């Protein structure tokens, strides 16, 4: 009887011992990390249904913030994400928890030399970031204005001609893309359509142009990279042999450091060109959409450009770009939790993503009066802090292509309002690509009617 009783009690004793051991371990962890282990996960849902709703509803995150507060969780294509709304809160998170937060790189960054600048490790970034800031600064970008203006006039003329032949207007994308390409190639590589390297570059670049940025490099893209580097080095040598060097990022990198541009620089410039094709075209589309919906702004822009100072002193152009970025283009920043931490009473588990909701934060009525309205004059006489307005990211890994983006947009706007009449049809409601990484854009039924004002 004693043996039977002990055998029956043995599992109970083992369970008690295991529970006691677990309690001791948990108590030790709480003492070591009191903030983390007394906090809880942010409210919200990790369901696939909620993730799908975010793709269909542009105001999804605003609704979640109203329901759960400015810090909430959700799932996005296999990733668990903590969403943070409010730029001041987001910047404080990145600053105060910098040691526990890393980049969220696109897959291609692991397959190019040194990694893409936005996602580089800290040591590599400290070496290359200052080089790229100088190689993409205003004086270098200014060297591409003439080519960009010529491309803008040519493509807008083509668009206007197409409008004459097409009832109902024309989709703008095929006419904006060549302008962005001409500007980026001239600024980044000093490459123009009459150069010896032009055809060879385009033939080899096609593999990168077709490369999905959310996927690892295809075999064709991997094989093209070393060939593109060789083409650019030969082109750089031809530029350097001329009596007057064409200023561009390639020549500026070589001027700063004779050992540059190396493979890291070349790969980064190639993918900067690849990214600009989509992002700047998208911004230009939003600009034309907003101008068409706000014709009074076009008249004011035209009056400003017609002054003796001309486009060189056209602050409304800059404000129009800034307002379009605020209202439409700037959407989010993603980071990865590398070590678990606590913030504002919530636990941020290791390997989760952090989504800083920029588009939603730019609609804060405490910062922007009537935040849903298109009003470039909200930037008149007021300088918003980076904790209020951050269209190009924040911190060491903020976008380095600001000057190039603004130059292209400014040139297209000035060319359009000084030479054409614009009407916009369609474009609503905004639509989203099939993935969370895609941006919102005007509806695919957007059509422009452009008439030469001359």
């Amino acid at each position: 009887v004693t043996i039977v009783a002990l055998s029956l009690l043995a599992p109970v004793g083992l369970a008690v011992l295991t529970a006691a051991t677990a309690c001791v371990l948990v108590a030790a962890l709480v003492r070591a990390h009191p903030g983390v282990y007394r906090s809880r996960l942010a409210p919200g849902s990790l369901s696939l249904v909620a993730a799908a709703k975010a793709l269909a509803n542009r105001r999804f995150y605003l609704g979640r913030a109203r329901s759960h507060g400015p810090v909430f969780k959700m799932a996005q294509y296999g990733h668990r994400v903590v969403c943070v709304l409010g730029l001041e809160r987001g910047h404080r998170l990145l600053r105060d928890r910098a040691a526990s937060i890393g980049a969220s790189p696109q897959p291609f960054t692991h397959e190019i030399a040194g990694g893409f600048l936005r996602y580089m490790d800290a040591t590599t970034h400290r070496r290359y970031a200052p080089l790229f800031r100088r190689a993409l600064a205003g004086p270098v970008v200014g060297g591409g204005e003439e080519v960009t203006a010529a491309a803008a006039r040519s493509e807008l003329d083509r668009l206007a001609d197409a409008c004459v032949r097409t009832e109902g207007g024309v989709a703008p994308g095929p006419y904006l893309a060549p302008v962005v390409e001409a500007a980026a190639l001239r600024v980044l590589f000093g490459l123009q359509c009459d150069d010896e390297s032009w055809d060879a570059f385009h033939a080899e670049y096609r593999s990168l142009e077709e490369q999905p940025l959310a996927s690892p490099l295809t075999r064709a893209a991997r094989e093209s990279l070393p060939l593109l580097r060789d083409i650019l080095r030969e082109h750089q040598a031809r530029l350097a042999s001329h009596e007057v060097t064409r200023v561009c990022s390639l020549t500026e990198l070589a001027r700063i450091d004779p050992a540059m541009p190396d493979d890291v620089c070349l790969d980064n410039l190639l993918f900067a060109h690849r990214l600009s094709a989509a992002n700047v075209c998208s911004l230009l589309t939003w600009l034309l959409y907003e101008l068409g919906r706000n014709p009074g702004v076009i008249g004011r822009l035209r009056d400003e450009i017609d002054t003796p100072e001309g486009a060189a002193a056209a602050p409304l152009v800059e404000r129009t770009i800034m307002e379009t970025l605020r209202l439409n283009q700037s959407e989010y920043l993603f980071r990865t939790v590398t070590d678990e931490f606590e913030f504002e009473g919530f636990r941020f588990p290791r390997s989760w993503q952090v989504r800083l909701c920029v588009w939603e934060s730019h609609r804060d009525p405490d910062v922007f009066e009537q935040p849903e309205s298109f009003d470039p004059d909200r930037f008149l006489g007021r300088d918003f802090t980076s904790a209020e307005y951050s269209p190009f990211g924040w911190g060491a890994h903020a976008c380095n292509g600001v000057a190039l983006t603004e130059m292209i947009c400014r040139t297209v706007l000035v060319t359009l309002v000084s030479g054409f009449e614009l009407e916009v049809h369609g474009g609503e409601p905004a639509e989203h690509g099939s993935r969370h990484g895609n941006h919102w854009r005007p509806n695919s039924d957007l059509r422009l009617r452009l008439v030469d004002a001359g």
Side-chain angles (χ1 to χ4, degrees):
V1 173
T2 302
I3 292 172
V4 171
L6 288 173
S7 66
L8 291 172
L9 289 172
V12 177
L14 180 60
V16 171
L17 178 62
T18 302
T21 303
C23 288
V24 171
L25 290 174
V26 169
L29 287 172
V30 170
R31 285 195 300 272
H33 306 282
V36 169
Y37 290 97
R38 290 173 189 169
S39 60
R40 61 187 178 91
L41 287 176
S45 172
L46 297 176
S47 74
L48 293 178
V49 173
K53 287 180 179 178
L55 295 177
N57 180 3
R58 199 180 189 192
R59 308 184 73 80
F60 174 85
Y61 296 96
L62 285 170
R64 287 292 157 127
R66 282 193 294 269
S67 299
H68 301 303
V71 181
F72 55 93
K73 67 178 181 290
M74 67 174 295
Q76 293 184 353
Y77 287 95
H79 294 289
R80 296 181 175 187
V81 183
V82 182
C83 302
V84 178
L85 196 144
L87 291 180
E88 186 281 328
R89 177 178 293 104
H91 290 184
R92 180 161 41 86
L93 168 67
L94 296 182
R95 182 179 62 251
D96 295 349
R97 300 294 185 268
S100 302
I101 297 177
S104 298
Q106 295 280 19
F108 75 84
T109 194
H110 301 297
E111 301 188 74
I112 67 175
F116 192 59
L117 186 67
R118 190 181 301 168
Y119 313 117
M120 281 178 178
D121 63 82
T123 301
T124 309
H125 190 267
R126 278 194 295 271
R127 181 185 179 193
Y128 284 95
L131 294 174
F132 277 96
R133 277 195 291 271
R134 294 171 66 180
L136 290 167
V140 177
V141 169
E145 287 189 9
E146 184 177 346
V147 166
T148 307
R153 182 69 207 201
S154 174
E155 293 303 318
L156 293 178
D157 280 339
R158 283 205 317 123
L159 199 160
D161 289 343
C163 288
V164 173
R165 302 188 303 271
T166 307
E167 186 177 352
V170 176
Y175 303 91
L176 298 177
V179 181
V180 177
E181 179 186 47
L185 290 178
R186 173 60 184 83
V187 169
L188 300 177
F189 309 119
L191 196 58
Q192 298 180 184
C193 60
D194 55 351
D195 286 334
E196 185 177 339
S197 303
W198 181 265
D199 290 338
F201 178 88
H202 278 82
E204 210 54 63
Y205 181 73
R206 192 169 295 114
S207 297
L208 290 191
E209 193 172 33
E210 297 170 352
Q211 167 66 42
L213 294 176
S215 304
L217 294 187
T218 62
R219 178 179 178 181
R222 287 196 299 272
E223 292 174 350
S224 290
L225 266 179
L227 300 176
L228 284 166
R229 293 174 195 146
D230 290 342
I231 291 170
L232 291 176
R233 287 196 173 97
E234 291 173 4
H235 176 66
Q236 180 194 355
R238 282 193 287 272
L239 289 178
S241 68
H242 293 170
E243 189 172 313
V244 178
T245 301
R246 193 181 292 166
V247 176
C248 63
S249 295
L250 281 184
T251 58
E252 181 66 8
L253 286 167
R255 188 190 69 79
I256 297 168
D257 184 345
M260 297 295 168
D262 61 4
D263 286 357
V264 176
C265 292
L266 294 175
D267 286 5
N268 268 268
L269 290 175
L270 285 165
F271 276 88
H273 174 41
R274 173 70 178 80
L275 289 166
S276 71
N279 293 340
V280 182
C281 278
S282 175
L283 177 55
L284 284 172
T285 303
W286 278 118
L287 278 166
L288 298 182
Y289 168 81
E290 290 294 355
L291 285 179
R293 284 163 45 92
N294 297 274
V297 176
I298 296 179
R300 291 178 59 200
L301 284 168
R302 187 171 291 126
D303 291 342
E304 188 175 75
I305 291 168
D306 285 343
T307 63
E309 294 81 8
L316 181 56
V317 172
E318 308 299 334
R319 299 200 305 275
T320 301
I321 296 170
M322 293 169 69
E323 179 69 341
T324 304
L325 284 164
R326 183 195 71 83
L327 201 57
N328 294 303
Q329 178 78 0
S330 303
E331 292 189 17
Y332 50 76
L333 295 176
F334 273 101
R335 296 291 186 267
T336 299
V337 179
T338 55
D339 289 298
E340 187 167 295
F341 64 87
E342 180 272 339
F343 180 77
E344 291 197 354
F346 298 113
R347 181 158 54 95
F348 285 61
R350 187 176 183 274
S351 79
W352 281 41
Q353 300 286 298
V354 177
R355 185 189 199 273
L356 302 186
C357 301
V358 177
W359 185 85
E360 293 78 10
S361 300
H362 281 165
R363 279 163 167 70
D364 185 348
D366 292 333
V367 178
F368 301 101
E369 185 178 352
Q370 296 182 331
E372 299 296 337
S373 65
F374 182 80
D375 181 14
D377 288 343
R378 70 174 74 252
F379 295 95
L380 188 62
R382 175 171 177 182
D383 293 325
F384 291 93
T385 68
S386 62
E388 297 172 319
Y389 177 70
S390 290
F392 291 103
W394 181 81
H397 291 272
C399 178
N400 281 295
V402 176
L404 176 58
T405 299
E406 290 182 342
M407 183 274 285
I408 295 172
C409 292
R410 182 178 64 251
T411 303
V412 171
L413 255 63
V414 169
T415 305
L416 186 145
V417 302
S418 60
F420 300 89
E421 300 291 343
L422 171 69
E423 290 182 8
V424 170
H425 304 280
E428 296 180 4
E431 61 186 20
H432 196 283
S434 59
R435 294 180 55 86
H436 280 279
N438 291 346
H439 287 284
W440 288 89
R441 59 200 176 208
N443 195 280
S444 55
D445 70 356
L446 176 69
R447 295 294 183 269
L448 269 57
R449 291 209 54 84
L450 209 63
V451 177
D452 192 323

